[in-house]
Amino acid sequence: MEPDGCLQAVLFDMDGLLIDSERLWLEVEAEVMAWLGGNWGPEHQERLVGGSLTRTVSYMLSLSGPVAPPDEVGRRLLDGMTERLRTEVPMLPGAKALLGEVRDAGLPSALVSSTHRRVMEHALDGIGREHFTVTVAGDEVSSNKPHPEPYLTAARLLGVAAERCVALEDSLSGITAAEAAGCASVAVPSVVAIPPAPGRLVVESLSDLDVPTLSALVTPEGPRHP
């Protein structure tokens, strides 16, 4: 199948969109917060979903007090996730099928994550590196989501216009980044609800999506605004 004339590339978030990793992050964050002497629950994770490691570390230390160096807290978070992803990369419903369909359609694609490269590398072993033309990790940009830089970087690496891309996200932070970059957006909420908006499609699962649906979100001028 030839790529659609308007849609030039598909940009995928990772955590909570392709892989069921938000529950793994919750486990790791709870362990690290216990080490810091505090408690952690879903209400804390909801404040951080889709955000950067720096933001998570700062928030955790704001709760516990300055009882450990930020670098050590960040290292423990990354170590915990890396260890889990060595043994399990739990794919979410519809992820494998949609990745395969995008690839079969000849569309370039990118993995655009706030997660650091060393965690992303383990996730890619389970997701399948062959599905992505380029990958952008959270420690490879100056400003992370909700800043548009990660998505602008992906579009630049792919050699396409961000306005002719569709970005798929599970968090409001990620959707904000994608839309600020000019992308059409698809929200598949995981931890926190995301409301519909012009140029944004909200679905319950990646199983609800296919290439024609994604293609319909983009016009020659950019995202379609109903």
Side-chain angles (χ1 to χ4, degrees):
M1 182 188 299
E2 292 297 321
D4 179 89
C6 297
L7 177 61
Q8 293 184 336
V10 182
L11 315 178
F12 293 92
D13 178 44
M14 186 176 79
D15 290 299
L17 180 87
L18 296 177
I19 63 174
D20 186 17
S21 53
E22 295 299 353
R23 61 180 177 85
L24 302 181
W25 277 113
L26 181 60
E27 292 174 7
V28 173
E29 290 159 358
E31 288 176 2
V32 174
M33 182 54 79
W35 172 73
L36 290 170
N39 296 312
W40 190 264
E43 69 277 12
H44 299 111
Q45 185 188 37
E46 287 177 8
R47 293 173 173 263
L48 302 169
V49 64
S52 66
L53 181 69
T54 300
R55 180 181 166 200
T56 299
V57 170
S58 296
Y59 179 67
M60 295 179 86
L61 289 174
S62 75
L63 297 178
S64 68
V67 297
D71 287 351
E72 175 65 11
V73 178
R75 184 189 67 77
R76 286 175 177 264
L77 288 167
L78 293 176
D79 285 350
M81 276 302 291
T82 299
E83 188 62 34
R84 282 164 171 78
L85 290 173
R86 280 197 182 103
T87 58
E88 178 188 21
V89 180
M91 299 293 290
L92 282 163
K96 284 280 191 184
L98 184 60
L99 287 168
E101 184 178 348
V102 168
R103 186 183 179 204
D104 290 345
L107 284 163
S109 64
L111 185 63
V112 187
S113 177
S114 295
T115 297
H116 281 213
R117 171 60 64 179
R118 71 183 181 97
V119 174
M120 179 189 278
E121 285 298 310
H122 287 284
L124 280 168
D125 288 339
I127 299 170
R129 300 170 189 274
E130 69 276 9
H131 292 299
F132 305 106
T133 313
V134 301
T135 61
V136 179
D139 54 337
E140 296 170 345
V141 293
S142 300
S143 300
N144 221 317
K145 303 172 187 180
H147 195 279
E149 183 184 350
Y151 281 107
L152 292 173
T153 299
R156 175 178 56 80
L157 291 173
L158 289 170
V160 300
E163 294 80 8
R164 301 281 291 278
C165 297
V166 173
L168 291 82
E169 278 280 355
D170 74 301
S171 71
L172 187 57
S173 175
I175 283 288
T176 300
E179 292 174 352
C183 303
S185 62
V186 178
V188 191
S190 59
V191 175
V192 180
I194 300 174
R200 177 192 305 168
L201 173 66
V202 181
V203 298
E204 293 186 1
S205 167
L206 292 175
S207 299
D208 299 327
L209 300 170
D210 54 24
V211 168
T213 301
L214 300 181
S215 297
L217 299 175
V218 179
T219 72
E221 290 73 38
R224 186 181 303 279
H225 295 283

